[in-house]
Structures are given as C-alpha cells and as structure tokens.
Amino acid sequence: GRRRERRDLTIKTIDLRPMYMSFEFNCRTNDNVELVLEGSFFWEIVDLQAMVQYTNDTTGDICNHARSRFIELVSKVTLQEFMLQFNVIAEKVHQNDDSDFYKQRGVKIHSLEVTGYHCAEMSTAQILEEI
C-alpha cells in the first residue's frame, strides 16, 4: 500500500479464521509451453507470533513461494504430462515442500487446488486444438 509518514498504526484484532485466497501464475512446461494457472489456497494462521516476527506480507509470501514451487515442478514435465497430472503437481507444491517456509511464517496450507489453466499465447492454444 501507500507509504505512511506517520507510524502510528495500532492493530487491535487479527482474524485467525482459516482463509480462502485465489491465485493466477504463469509458468512454462519442459517443452516450453507457457501456461496460465488459476487456483485457490485454503490456509490459516497457526502461530501468530511467528507470523508477526517473520513477515509483514503473509499473503504475498504464500503466493510467491507457491508460484516458485509451481515454476519448479511444472518445468520438469511436458504439457501432456501436466495435463494428465496437474492436481498431483498442485498437491506436491505444498505437501512435498521440504522447507520450513510455512512453519517459519506461522501458517498452514490446508489445500491448494488448480481450478483452471490455459495457454498464455492464443497461437499455441490454437495449434493444440488442431492436434
């Protein structure tokens, strides 16, 4: 947001209920097809102290880390493999993450789902439709 000249913000309550957040990421397959992935996270804050101590942009951190993981995993498969197993890849993004990324930030990802995807370039999409 906007930079504040006065640093007098006081937070009185924080919503700790599980939250829903949608995303849209671009990534490339191993055979160089650029995809736009659409999906959603269901997550919650489980350690408020860790979250406040480690980050001031929890949702941004979650999205950036997930995007990085998607780019890493999608780049290892062809478009055909992606189309057959995109839900498995989405599951691996957060369940097979060996880092302490979410724990450090005091959050837990309950689910991460890809709800849709399409080719970023129309010309690629048209060629794939013809095949």
Side-chain angles (χ1 to χ4, degrees):
R2 250 177 101 187
R3 180 167 287 219
R4 296 169 47 102
E5 291 186 27
R6 289 181 32 207
R7 302 280 181 177
D8 61 350
L9 177 65
T10 304
I11 297 174
K12 296 179 182 170
T13 58
I14 295 179
D15 187 354
L16 297 176
R17 295 176 295 178
M19 296 177 218
Y20 171 83
M21 177 173 56
S22 58
F23 67 82
E24 183 176 296
F25 304 139
N26 285 33
C27 55
R28 286 189 182 274
T29 61
N30 192 17
D31 48 357
N32 205 28
V33 177
E34 185 177 6
L35 298 173
V36 178
L37 305 181
E38 300 167 4
S40 60
F41 296 99
F42 188 60
W43 67 284
E44 74 176 305
I45 300 167
V46 292
D47 184 348
L48 181 61
Q49 185 175 356
M51 185 199 77
V52 170
Q53 194 171 35
Y54 207 85
T55 184
N56 62 356
D57 184 11
T58 307
T59 56
D61 286 1
I62 291 170
C63 278
N64 288 329
H65 185 69
R67 180 180 53 207
S68 175
R69 295 277 297 145
F70 266 114
I71 290 169
E72 174 189 348
L73 295 173
V74 171
S75 71
K76 295 178 181 178
V77 298
T78 64
L79 176 62
Q80 185 175 9
E81 292 167 333
F82 174 82
M83 290 168 55
L84 294 172
Q85 54 184 298
F86 66 90
N87 283 321
V88 173
I89 292 170
E91 191 175 300
K92 287 179 181 179
V93 165
H94 79 95
Q95 289 186 351
N96 294 0
D97 188 349
D98 294 333
S99 72
D100 286 338
F101 184 86
Y102 298 114
K103 185 178 180 183
Q104 283 178 330
R105 286 158 180 78
V107 298
K108 177 179 171 102
I109 305 296
H110 294 289
S111 68
L112 188 159
E113 297 177 358
V114 174
T115 57
Y117 64 89
H118 61 274
C119 292
E121 297 178 24
M122 285 299 284
S123 59
T124 305
Q126 290 172 344
I127 290 169
L128 289 173
E129 282 183 26
E130 291 175 9
I131 294 177

